[in-house]
């Protein structure tokens, strides 16, 4: 049985799960930047991850739930093909292709910082789906957004060219909208109270269906860009991303996000992804030898984390 949307998961619990997902997600930004610096094409960085995810998730469900359950999922995918191509193509396909393209033009922690624009986009996406987010929730989102702005200003202050800054920012802005759109389409399906919603109680099943829906996007990119074959290092790195960020982090994130259909709680879970910035920063410093940020960047990080803490504390009241 699924947890009822009215059973009231606590805000600290939701935020805690979201933070764990953020730590795992941050590996994506670090390894994507490492692959870019190593000459790997961004199309393969995006595509191989979701091919690996589809295989890993299908095998996991086959072993854990059996062939009958996996068969039921595949029948659901075929029966609602248009929906899964839309939700997965936008929420996973467009989102991740844009993030990988941006990794060619900006450090991973900057991509992670700009990605936090999804926190600002989420309330507007929820409103477009007919939900509302209370004003006090938006105030904390605004503080997180202020931190994102400061972090990007820090990059400009170092003399990076405008064209390169835009190439690292604009695609992530598109991704920041695409991801909550795909997730909210899934949330609606998850709380539809029909036979399909029963299957979607398992977050791994939800991620698999979205992943299958995203695969055509990557097929189109491969045909359009015709990238050179990936090296073994890129194949290995994308496999790690697929397992840690794609399977584990995404499953945890969607599990927390779909515990409730309350707009404020959904937005709070999305807000925890602000922690990816700090995790990615530390990861690049240790793995890629990036120098520590200056005072302006630290101020941005503090604003992001302050907004996150505020969101958690207001949920207790």
């Amino acid at each position: 049985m699924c947890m009822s949307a009215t059973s009231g998961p606590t805000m600290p619990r939701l935020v805690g799960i979201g933070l764990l997902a953020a730590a795992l997600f941050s590996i994506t930004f670090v390894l994507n930047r490492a692959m870019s610096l190593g000459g790997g094409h961004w199309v393969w960085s995006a595509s191989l991850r979701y091919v690996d995810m589809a295989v890993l998730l299908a095998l996991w469900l086959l072993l854990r739930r059996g062939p009958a359950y996996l068969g039921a999922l595949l029948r659901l995918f075929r029966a609602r093909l248009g929906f899964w191509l839309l939700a997965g193509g936008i929420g996973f396909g467009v989102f991740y292709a844009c993030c990988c393209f941006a990794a060619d033009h900006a450090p991973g922690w900057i991509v992670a910082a700009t990605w936090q624009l999804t926190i600002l986009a989420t309330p507007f996406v929820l409103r477009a789906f007919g939900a509302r987010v209370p004003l006090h929730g938006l105030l904390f989102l605004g503080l997180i957004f202020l931190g994102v702005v400061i972090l990007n200003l820090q990059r400009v202050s170092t003399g990076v060219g405008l064209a390169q800054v835009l190439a690292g920012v604009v695609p992530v802005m598109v991704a920041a909208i695409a991801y909550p759109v795909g997730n909210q389409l899934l949330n609606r399906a998850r709380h539809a109270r029909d036979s399909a919603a029963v299957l979607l109680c398992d977050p791994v099943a939800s991620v698999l269906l979205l992943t299958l829906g995203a695969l055509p996007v990557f097929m189109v990119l491969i045909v359009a860009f015709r990238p050179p074959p990936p090296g073994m290092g890129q194949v290995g790195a994308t496999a790690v991303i697929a397992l840690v960020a794609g399977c584990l982090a995404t499953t945890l994130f969607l599990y927390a996000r779909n515990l409730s259909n309350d707009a404020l709680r959904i937005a709070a879970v999305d807000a925890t992804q602000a922690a990816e910035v700090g995790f990615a920063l530390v990861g690049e410093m240790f793995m890629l030898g990036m120098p520590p940020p200056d005072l302006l960047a630290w101020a941005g990080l503090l604003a992001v984390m302050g907004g996150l803490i505020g969101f958690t504390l207001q949920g207790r009241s």
Side-chain angles (χ1 to χ4, degrees):
M1 295 293 290
C2 293
M3 179 178 290
S4 169
T6 60
S7 59
T10 65
M11 189 70 79
R13 179 190 177 197
L14 292 176
V15 169
I17 298 173
L19 283 174
L20 177 58
L24 299 176
F25 272 134
S26 68
I27 294 174
T28 297
F29 300 105
V30 178
L31 291 184
N32 277 344
R33 183 58 175 174
M35 286 187 286
S36 175
L37 295 174
H41 199 285
W42 66 270
V43 169
W44 287 121
S45 297
S47 304
L48 289 175
R49 164 181 167 168
Y50 280 91
V51 171
D52 289 340
M53 280 178 59
V55 174
L56 290 170
L57 293 169
L59 286 175
W60 173 250
L61 288 173
L62 182 63
L63 293 173
R64 187 167 64 90
R65 305 295 293 267
Y69 183 85
L70 183 59
L73 276 183
L74 295 178
R75 287 192 295 273
L76 173 60
F77 180 79
R78 185 175 64 249
R80 302 187 181 183
L81 183 62
F83 173 81
W84 293 112
L85 291 177
L86 178 66
I90 294 175
F92 280 7
V94 173
F95 144 69
Y96 199 62
C98 288
C99 287
C100 289
F101 178 85
D104 274 1
H105 304 279
W109 79 282
I110 295 294
V111 174
T114 308
W115 163 242
Q116 303 316 313
L117 292 174
T118 194
I119 298 168
L120 184 66
T122 293
F124 296 99
V125 170
L126 292 172
R127 185 177 180 85
F129 277 84
R132 292 183 180 275
V133 179
L135 180 60
H136 60 280
L138 287 176
L139 292 176
F140 291 115
L141 294 181
L143 181 57
I144 296 172
F145 175 70
L146 176 62
V148 172
V149 172
I150 293 173
L151 287 168
N152 279 281
L153 287 176
Q154 182 271 345
R155 189 178 185 213
V156 174
S157 70
T158 63
V160 177
L162 180 60
Q164 187 172 356
V165 171
L166 291 177
V169 170
V170 174
V172 186
M173 292 175 65
V174 175
I177 298 172
Y179 194 60
V181 168
N183 285 334
Q184 192 58 21
L185 286 169
L186 172 64
N187 188 272
R188 285 298 182 87
R190 161 68 179 76
H191 292 287
R193 299 183 183 276
D194 57 12
S195 57
V198 176
L199 290 174
L200 298 178
C201 288
D202 189 336
V204 178
S206 299
V207 176
L208 176 59
L209 291 172
L210 290 176
T211 298
L212 294 175
L215 292 181
V217 173
F218 301 116
M219 293 178 187
V220 170
L221 289 175
I222 292 172
V223 172
F225 287 90
R226 299 183 180 181
M232 290 305 298
Q234 189 172 21
V235 172
T238 53
V240 172
I241 293 173
L243 176 62
V244 176
C247 297
L248 298 178
T250 304
T251 299
L252 281 170
F253 175 71
L254 291 178
Y255 170 72
R257 200 177 192 276
N258 292 329
L259 278 175
S260 174
N261 58 4
D262 175 71
L264 181 59
R265 292 175 185 270
I266 292 172
V269 173
D270 288 345
T272 62
Q273 303 315 289
E276 292 172 10
V277 183
F279 292 129
L281 172 59
V282 173
E284 284 197 301
M285 289 173 61
F286 280 95
M287 294 179 62
L288 304 181
M290 188 194 75
D294 58 20
L295 290 177
L296 182 62
W298 283 118
L301 281 173
L302 288 175
V304 169
M305 300 311 296
L308 173 62
I309 293 171
F311 226 127
T312 305
L313 294 179
Q314 64 86 30
R316 295 173 181 268
S317 59

